[in-house]
Amino acid sequence: MALADDIARVLFTEVQIQDRIRTMAAQISRDYAATAPLLVSVLKGALYFMADLSRAITIPITVDFMAITSYGDETASTGAVRLIKDLDEKITERHVLLVEDIIDTGLTADYLLRTLRARDPASLNICTLLDKAARRIVDTLPIQYRGFEVPDEFVVGYGLDHRQLYRNLPFIGVLKPEVIAAAR
Ligand code: PRP
């Protein structure tokens, strides 16, 4: 059985995603020309977006990665996370763009921004492929680039997972309810 058989409907096709990424990359290339920004992303969901976005950007950039794990229940209300892997590069006086696959409640991004801001970057903004604004708790995030708005449904593909699966789908879709129910 193919992975795609578990998808109820496709929200964004591979072509739509890649088109949108090219537009976002062109904007970033214009806005950050001559600043050699540092693109920072968090494993694992943003991996695919980071790979395609960075390759579509036409100015010099560097990339770096963080890995985080949640503290459990506390995370649901505060977004507090533990860094498993910190950045390799110093970000002081750098122009930093946090690259995310999805902003949902915004708690994770808010926590990461506070951590990064304490290191005095020259600027710090967010580029997210998906925005699930209906679930937002933190509404002060500096989202400078946004790919698509998504409805409040369980979306997978292109980095987004359900129990670690579906990340490698080249499109983004809504998971069939029975697949979610069967996993419970
Ligand atoms: C996802 C996504 C964001 C976060 C968004 O990561 O990559 O980091 O959730 O949710 P929030 O806005 O409600 O905080 P996830 O924890 O699923 O880990 P993953 O990247 O390994 O899939």
Side-chain angles (χ1 to χ4, degrees):
M1 185 167 138
L3 203 54
D5 293 342
D6 290 348
I7 303 302
R9 67 179 203 282
V10 174
L11 287 180
F12 307 108
T13 65
E14 185 173 0
V15 169
Q16 285 172 321
I17 293 169
Q18 296 303 332
D19 276 357
R20 189 73 189 104
I21 289 174
R22 271 192 292 277
T23 303
M24 296 170 87
Q27 286 168 349
I28 292 168
S29 301
R30 272 197 306 273
D31 296 349
Y32 286 86
T35 67
L38 172 64
L39 271 57
V40 167
S41 83
V42 185
L43 301 172
K44 311 171 187 142
L47 169 68
Y48 298 82
F49 181 42
M50 178 71 141
D52 287 341
L53 180 75
S54 58
R55 279 180 294 185
I57 289 174
T58 54
I59 58 169
I61 58 162
T62 52
V63 298
D64 206 345
F65 297 89
M66 288 186 293
I68 58 177
T69 187
S70 67
Y71 278 116
D73 288 350
E74 190 193 336
T75 307
S77 55
T78 66
V81 295
R82 186 164 61 88
L83 289 182
I84 300 174
K85 184 210 169 301
D86 203 342
L87 298 174
D88 294 333
E89 295 197 39
K90 293 219 182 319
I91 64 166
T92 306
E93 294 176 15
R94 296 289 308 273
H95 291 275
V96 177
L97 197 53
L98 180 65
V99 175
E100 267 288 20
D101 51 339
I102 186 164
I103 307 280
D104 192 326
T105 63
L107 288 168
T108 307
D110 184 54
Y111 185 86
L112 292 172
L113 283 179
R114 279 186 274 130
T115 304
L116 297 176
R117 207 172 275 136
R119 302 177 189 181
D120 293 324
S123 68
L124 183 56
N125 286 296
I126 297 174
C127 174
T128 187
L129 180 63
L130 303 180
D131 183 5
K132 197 185 268 187
R135 283 183 31 98
R136 190 76 85 255
I137 292 173
V138 181
D139 58 6
T140 53
L141 297 175
I143 303 178
Q144 198 168 0
Y145 309 96
R146 180 185 335 249
F148 304 101
E149 287 256 353
V150 280
D152 187 9
E153 292 182 88
F154 206 115
V155 293
V156 295
Y158 198 73
L160 296 151
D161 76 302
H162 173 59
R163 300 198 160 197
Q164 299 301 326
L165 293 173
Y166 306 99
R167 293 190 197 275
N168 58 319
L169 286 173
F171 59 85
I172 293 168
V174 178
L175 205 54
K176 287 179 179 169
E178 58 264 36
V179 175
I180 301 169
R184 285 208 176 105

